[in-house]
Amino acid sequence: MATAARALGGYGYVSPATREQVLAAAVRLGYQPNDVARSMRAKTTRTIGFVGADIVNPFFANAMRGVSDVARQHGFDVFLTNSDERLDLEQQAVRALLVKQVDGIILAPTGVGDAPHLRSVVESGTPLVFIDRALADVPADSICIDNVAAAETAVGHLLALGHRRIALVAESPVTGDDARCPVTDDDEWAARSVPDGVSERPDDRVIVPSAARAHGYLRAHRAAGVPVDSRLARRVPRYSQEAARDEVRRMLALPDPPTALFASDNIMGLGTVVALREAGLTMPDDISLVTFDDLDWTAITTPPITVIRQPVYDMGAEAARRLLARVNGDTSPPARVELPVRLLVRGSTARPGPRSS
Amino acid sequence: MATAARALGGYGYVSPATREQVLAAAVRLGYQPNDVARSMRAKTTRTIGFVGADIVNPFFANAMRGVSDVARQHGFDVFLTNSDERLDLEQQAVRALLVKQVDGIILAPTGVGDAPHLRSVVESGTPLVFIDRALADVPADSICIDNVAAAETAVGHLLALGHRRIALVAESPVTGDDARCPVTDDDEWAARSVPDGVSERPDDRVIVPSAARAHGYLRAHRAAGVPVDSRLARRVPRYSQEAARDEVRRMLALPDPPTALFASDNIMGLGTVVALREAGLTMPDDISLVTFDDLDWTAITTPPITVIRQPVYDMGAEAARRLLARVNGDTSPPARVELPVRLLVRGSTARPGPRSS
DNA sequence: TTGTATGCGTTATCAT
DNA sequence: ATGATAACGCATACAA
């Protein structure tokens, strides 16, 4: 009888007496509701998917936590998937999520490449929210920061302190032979960071944070009228702590090494710190450092490190809020949200010392 | 007609020609399989749940990554839930996962309290695998380390170096007034870390890693014939970096401060390092430190920190493997797996120096 | 090899 | 206020 279902599901009309009976029988028989059947009928699973590069990276862990908390508040569960920055894994993950009928997807896209799988998500009607990076040609919400401005702030801080030889430690969005190409000029950067045949200005298409941060590095120099030495603005060929360490090591071995460094995220920053340690350099006397991402450890190194703080948890939470708004029928035009960042000046940055001339 | 279903699902008999036709029509019409319906029919969702305390904690992030990788290899997706070490949230999470009909659950139990919700999971037939901690009265697999032995190794290392005043920096499994009770004696420890009315020996019921590690701390002292100063073996009242810092600060202010410290995990270790920095103490000259968890940052502090390395990723991966074996029908008796740990001796430990007498 | 019919557990609709 | 019935999309048993 449907009355039992009504009592258990808490909908429709049920007399109090009957409800009691039903509920009692339910516990007695160990009734467990089945959300799969409910989802099948309701065509909504109360489930969303999160696709990040790697949950072990504190950036994605914090973002996921924000997503998870907001989702739970609204009675949603979250699938976690790692893409390892690989387009094929990202596609696979998205497909799996769609097959599982998630109500929406939050995704940190893997980069420059084509995004037909993401466009098809949008076309299929499943809400999609980008986090950390936005894909210009996919009409979806995005929760990011202003990477160009943030990097400009960080490098501007170093320039203001009097540094003139500032190294850029940033991963390369390019793979293969071009990976270690220098980044010395806005136009060259624009040409390299945009897919072939696309002619928009960088600002309109900036998608990969590391590229945007490299752009900010250049902009800060130009604003200060300081020329960039191409040997200090090479891209780290692989996205790993070790590759960053090696690149910094090379730059430190130059006849005229940098007096300061700007690392584009926490992985690059960790590798940079390792290289400085190995070289026996002391911050900020021998060299200054600013890195992205305000992780716990940046406050306990000797000295504590000046960082750009991103509101990562909030980015995740906001992404989830926007996604759930879409799930609940919000059809306003896609929004590009940029959350504010802060420069936290700590002990690793100072004016270039006599020892670092 | 069922032929279409057979072609799309890839089961049963379908002639190659028909299959081609069906597949072509499928792409033309934009067919998307629906796993909810499949799950409903198949009574299996190819989904598992992971319940950890906090994905932001690198321990759980690494474990989750191991779980996630193995799950994906087997075609399973993973729900991520955070319990924040709260029993109510853990219960809520488990209930939600069961309602969603997950095929299995991997869970780091929240502690000592009653576990009727977990027993009911097992009784409901849903496979359950514990990670990091095991609940003695719930018959399920567990993937842990030997916390007592690991702590004994760490503290034994300090004792062998000649330290006699070693501080314990460990969270308290007890909440409320007793939280800061000293841990000075095996029996007292046993009495306090076991629920009322349970009389088993500690070794049989050890569940909370911090308690087990405190136990190892005591055992190492006893084995070395070194008495424990109760003022150096207090429990940190709350599980936070700040609480650890405060506790260490107090101990450093003693008339006869410790010459070495043992921190029971990465959060406690971070707080300890902060306290040492604030006190202007240099490792290992002024004081030695061993901490649990081999995180990236422990290698880049000055000096690098001696740690106990847990195979956290492997623990997650192994938990997933065992869970999936259960899902696939393995009915062997519950296994208690203990993975090996390693002591990585780095620069933060040395013989007590003249300055630290 | 292909088609027909049925059920999974829920909820919505419609009578009663 | 309650009971009967249909439908969601898929996979199976069975018939053809």
Side-chain angles (χ1 to χ4, degrees):
Chain A
M1 52 193 178
T3 307
R6 278 190 273 261
L8 294 166
Y11 55 90
Y13 298 96
V14 188
S15 83
T18 323
R19 165 175 297 128
E20 289 308 317
Q21 279 183 293
V22 172
L23 262 47
V27 295
R28 188 158 42 78
L29 301 174
Y31 168 78
Q32 291 289 96
N34 182 330
D35 228 32
V36 171
R38 201 204 56 74
S39 295
M40 164 108 141
R41 177 69 229 208
K43 295 190 178 304
T44 163
T45 51
R46 297 186 190 216
T47 296
I48 64 176
F50 178 83
V51 184
D54 179 10
I55 193 61
V56 167
N57 184 323
F59 178 88
F60 294 105
N62 275 282
M64 175 67 192
R65 185 64 210 251
V67 170
S68 182
D69 286 354
V70 170
R72 197 168 48 73
Q73 279 173 8
H74 294 251
F76 280 67
D77 284 301
V78 189
F79 280 123
L80 173 62
T81 326
N82 303 108
S83 71
D84 279 328
E85 306 277 9
R86 281 173 48 185
L87 194 60
D88 59 330
L89 292 183
E90 176 180 305
Q91 288 171 325
Q92 189 179 314
V94 166
R95 203 173 317 136
L97 291 172
L98 290 180
V99 167
K100 281 244 163 73
Q101 309 292 115
V102 295
D103 293 337
I105 296 177
I106 295 173
L107 179 140
T110 248
V112 188
D114 268 334
H117 61 301
L118 297 178
R119 238 189 321 264
S120 80
V121 169
V122 174
E123 284 162 10
S124 82
T126 305
L128 173 67
V129 173
F130 290 125
I131 189 168
D132 187 39
R133 315 174 189 182
L135 255 45
D137 42 1
V138 178
D141 297 316
S142 64
I143 316 294
C144 303
I145 63 166
D146 185 338
N147 283 296
V148 175
E152 210 175 339
T153 301
V155 176
H157 168 63
L158 293 170
L159 288 164
L161 286 169
H163 291 278
R164 288 300 173 264
R165 296 188 57 71
I166 302 171
L168 170 69
V169 188
E171 64 169 318
S172 170
V174 184
T175 52
D177 296 340
D178 283 344
R180 294 192 50 238
C181 68
V183 182
T184 53
D185 177 81
D186 273 30
D187 292 327
E188 178 179 1
W189 174 83
R192 288 192 178 280
S193 64
V194 160
D196 293 338
V198 179
S199 60
E200 286 91 334
R201 293 300 305 159
D203 281 1
D204 301 334
R205 290 194 40 87
V206 164
I207 44 178
V208 180
S210 68
R213 291 169 194 173
H215 188 52
Y217 166 92
L218 296 176
R219 281 246 297 246
H221 279 79
R222 197 172 45 187
V226 174
V228 170
D229 182 340
S230 67
R231 292 166 305 168
L232 300 184
R234 299 189 150 270
R235 295 282 179 73
V236 176
R238 285 177 306 107
Y239 184 58
S240 77
Q241 184 184 324
E242 289 72 26
R245 180 201 59 197
D246 294 347
E247 196 62 42
V248 172
R249 195 186 279 164
R250 265 190 288 273
M251 294 193 284
L252 293 176
L254 289 172
D256 43 357
T259 66
L261 307 106
F262 166 58
S264 68
D265 73 11
N266 70 78
I267 305 281
M268 298 292 107
L270 209 45
T272 301
V273 172
V274 171
L276 296 182
R277 281 187 55 80
E278 289 178 355
L281 294 174
T282 302
M283 298 181 285
D285 300 326
D286 300 327
I287 199 162
S288 286
L289 171 63
V290 183
T291 184
F292 242 82
D293 296 342
D294 178 31
L295 304 194
D296 283 342
W297 63 263
T298 62
I300 61 150
T301 48
T302 311
I305 298 173
T306 297
V307 300
I308 293 280
R309 180 185 182 280
Q310 302 186 66
V312 186
Y313 176 92
D314 293 336
M315 291 169 71
E318 180 62 20
R321 275 190 287 268
R322 290 214 70 81
L323 186 72
L324 294 177
R326 296 296 183 187
V327 169
N328 290 328
D330 179 348
T331 57
S332 52
R336 276 183 154 31
V337 179
E338 286 191 343
L339 266 47
V341 303
R342 273 204 330 178
L343 174 71
L344 304 183
V345 177
R346 299 202 275 238
S348 68
T349 49
R351 301 175 56 189
R355 295 164 68 185
S356 65
S357 68
Chain B
M1 51 192 177
T3 308
R6 278 189 273 261
L8 294 166
Y11 51 88
Y13 297 97
V14 187
S15 83
T18 322
R19 165 176 297 130
E20 288 308 315
Q21 277 183 295
V22 172
L23 261 49
V27 295
R28 189 158 42 76
L29 301 175
Y31 168 77
Q32 291 289 98
N34 183 329
D35 229 33
V36 172
R38 202 203 55 75
S39 295
M40 165 107 138
R41 185 68 239 196
K43 297 192 177 303
T44 162
T45 53
R46 297 184 187 219
T47 296
I48 64 176
F50 178 84
V51 184
D54 179 10
I55 193 62
V56 168
N57 184 324
F59 178 88
F60 295 105
N62 274 283
M64 175 67 192
R65 185 64 210 250
V67 169
S68 181
D69 286 354
V70 170
R72 196 167 49 73
Q73 279 172 10
H74 294 251
F76 280 67
D77 284 300
V78 188
F79 280 122
L80 174 62
T81 324
N82 303 109
S83 70
D84 280 328
E85 305 279 10
R86 282 171 50 185
L87 194 61
D88 59 330
L89 292 182
E90 176 180 306
Q91 288 172 326
Q92 188 179 312
V94 165
R95 202 173 316 133
L97 291 171
L98 290 180
V99 167
K100 281 245 162 71
Q101 309 292 115
V102 296
D103 293 337
I105 296 176
I106 295 172
L107 181 140
T110 249
V112 188
D114 267 333
H117 60 302
L118 297 178
R119 239 188 321 263
S120 80
V121 170
V122 174
E123 284 161 9
S124 81
T126 304
L128 173 67
V129 173
F130 290 126
I131 188 168
D132 187 38
R133 316 174 189 181
L135 254 48
D137 42 359
V138 178
D141 297 315
S142 63
I143 316 293
C144 303
I145 61 167
D146 184 339
N147 283 296
V148 176
E152 210 174 340
T153 302
V155 176
H157 167 63
L158 293 170
L159 288 164
L161 286 169
H163 291 278
R164 289 300 171 265
R165 297 191 55 71
I166 303 171
L168 170 69
V169 189
E171 63 170 318
S172 171
V174 185
T175 52
D177 294 339
D178 282 343
R180 293 192 52 239
C181 67
V183 182
T184 52
D185 178 79
D186 273 32
D187 291 328
E188 178 178 2
W189 174 83
R192 288 193 177 277
S193 63
V194 160
D196 291 338
V198 179
S199 60
E200 286 92 336
R201 293 299 307 159
D203 281 0
D204 301 334
R205 292 196 36 89
V206 163
I207 43 178
V208 180
S210 68
R213 292 169 194 173
H215 187 53
Y217 166 93
L218 296 176
R219 282 247 295 247
H221 278 79
R222 196 172 45 189
V226 174
V228 169
D229 182 340
S230 68
R231 292 165 306 165
L232 299 184
R234 299 188 150 271
R235 294 283 179 76
V236 176
R238 285 177 306 107
Y239 184 57
S240 77
Q241 182 183 324
E242 290 71 26
R245 180 201 58 197
D246 294 346
E247 195 63 41
V248 172
R249 195 185 280 164
R250 264 189 289 274
M251 294 194 284
L252 293 176
L254 290 172
D256 42 359
T259 67
L261 307 106
F262 167 58
S264 70
D265 73 10
N266 71 79
I267 305 282
M268 298 293 108
L270 209 45
T272 302
V273 172
V274 171
L276 295 182
R277 280 186 56 80
E278 289 178 356
L281 295 174
T282 301
M283 299 180 284
D285 299 326
D286 300 327
I287 198 162
S288 286
L289 171 64
V290 182
T291 183
F292 243 84
D293 296 343
D294 177 30
L295 303 194
D296 282 344
W297 64 261
T298 61
I300 62 151
T301 48
T302 310
I305 299 174
T306 297
V307 300
I308 293 281
R309 178 185 181 280
Q310 303 186 67
V312 186
Y313 177 92
D314 293 338
M315 291 169 72
E318 180 62 20
R321 274 190 288 268
R322 291 214 70 82
L323 186 72
L324 294 177
R326 296 295 183 190
V327 169
N328 290 327
D330 179 347
T331 56
S332 52
R336 276 185 153 32
V337 178
E338 286 191 342
L339 266 46
V341 303
R342 274 204 327 176
L343 173 71
L344 304 182
V345 178
R346 298 203 276 236
S348 68
T349 48
R351 301 174 57 187
R355 296 164 66 185
S356 65
S357 68

